[in-house]
Amino acid sequence: MGRSRRTLPEELLLLALDPTTGTTAQPQSLDLGLAGAQLVELALAGRIAPDGDRIAVVMPRPTGDPTLDSALELLRRRGSPVRAVHWIGGPRLGLRQIYLSHLERCGMVHAVAGQMCGVLPTTRYQATDTAISRDIRARLDSAIRTGVPPDPRTAALAALAHAVGLGKHLYPGNEGRSSRSRLRDLIRHDPMGGLVAHAVMDVQNGVGAQPRRNQPAGGSGRQPGPVPMQPRRSGMARVAAH
């Protein structure tokens, strides 16, 4: 990629990508998580900042990342702070495909064409360097295992992974229950990540139209629920995803 640090949307997508099947876990909620990850990345870059439950642009200068800069420009055009839940719940068509195509151009994944039921064309994505995905996963595992407060980037990644329901994918079964619980608890270590993660869960639970009540520092502790809205079309009709 030519840079040492991957963005949070890229890391979240790589975390969700199943190395065996080449599909993404939690596809319906993942677009919401990617939109939220863009907000956190822009905050880490000093371009936006939380204002209560709203997001305000504090520096409109481009970051140099086209996808992030597109989101930044849309936020700037709003002219006033926007509620995180409204931003994340708005049309975010094709974010998975946009980032999958980006990762493919960067040489981090490669597309594998196939067919579903011998008829429908599908595209699966395989990581070209599994060490990158292992490194991302190791950061989460370390934060869960050691109990040491993680850096803001890892804390935000954990919050987003929990919000989109990746806990059961990363730490399945009864043996992963405690790890899933600790993953959820990491949400309290980054205010921006916590704000965005709660917004993602609110959209999934259909409560985006109501103002969020103040939450304690530890978060609400609820699990992501089913998406009660119409299925989001992400532009990946040809991508096989579970």
Side-chain angles (χ1 to χ4, degrees), residues 53 82-90 198-200 202-203 207-210:
D53 67 347
V82 58
R83 287 185 65 203
V85 70
H86 288 165
W87 172 261
I88 291 169
H198 282 305
V200 169
D202 278 350
V203 173
V207 296
Q210 300 297 325

Side-chain angles (χ1 to χ4, degrees), residues 3-239:
R3 51 190 169 90
S4 59
R5 173 166 286 177
R6 295 167 295 276
T7 66
L8 273 173
E10 294 165 3
E11 291 196 327
L12 183 65
L13 183 54
L14 287 171
L15 201 61
L17 191 63
D18 191 303
T20 303
T21 65
T23 61
T24 53
Q26 303 299 109
Q28 285 190 318
S29 57
L30 190 55
D31 272 355
L32 301 176
L34 291 172
Q38 287 184 320
L39 292 181
V40 179
E41 189 65 44
L42 287 171
L44 289 171
R47 285 356 186 233
I48 64 175
D51 181 4
D53 67 347
R54 296 174 183 268
I55 302 298
V57 175
V58 295
M59 183 189 298
R61 189 180 69 206
T63 65
D65 181 300
T67 309
L68 290 176
D69 288 341
S70 176
L72 179 62
E73 177 61 16
L74 288 174
L75 285 166
R76 187 193 66 80
R77 289 179 184 176
R78 293 292 184 97
S80 60
V82 58
R83 287 185 65 203
V85 70
H86 288 165
W87 172 261
I88 291 169
R92 294 290 172 269
L93 300 180
L95 271 184
R96 268 187 305 149
Q97 187 58 60
I98 288 171
Y99 274 104
L100 282 168
S101 298
H102 168 71
L103 292 178
E104 185 180 15
R105 288 193 302 272
C106 294
M108 297 179 68
V109 302
H110 68 276
V112 180
Q115 289 184 329
M116 181 182 295
C117 302
V119 178
L120 299 176
T122 63
T123 304
R124 299 176 185 270
Y125 292 86
Q126 299 289 341
T128 56
D129 187 353
T130 56
I132 295 175
S133 297
R134 288 198 302 270
D135 173 70
I136 297 170
R137 174 66 181 271
R139 283 166 44 209
L140 286 188
D141 290 346
S142 177
I144 288 173
R145 184 179 64 256
T146 65
V148 176
D151 62 274
R153 183 174 293 273
T154 301
L157 180 61
L160 289 163
H162 165 70
V164 302
L166 285 183
K168 60 186 178 183
H169 166 71
L170 299 170
Y171 307 103
N174 288 333
E175 64 275 13
R177 183 178 301 172
S178 61
S179 292
R180 292 195 298 272
S181 177
R182 288 193 290 270
L183 179 72
R184 178 197 65 209
D185 291 343
L186 290 174
I187 200 171
R188 71 182 186 273
H189 289 294
D190 180 61
M192 184 65 180
L195 168 65
V196 168
H198 282 305
V200 169
M201 291 186 282
D202 278 350
V203 173
Q204 292 181 82
N205 289 320
V207 296
Q210 300 297 325
R212 163 169 284 281
R213 295 177 179 179
N214 290 334
Q215 294 287 345
S220 65
R222 25 177 210 197
Q223 295 289 339
V227 182
M229 58 186 71
Q230 292 184 353
R232 300 169 66 88
R233 296 295 181 184
S234 67
M236 291 188 65
R238 295 191 174 186
V239 177

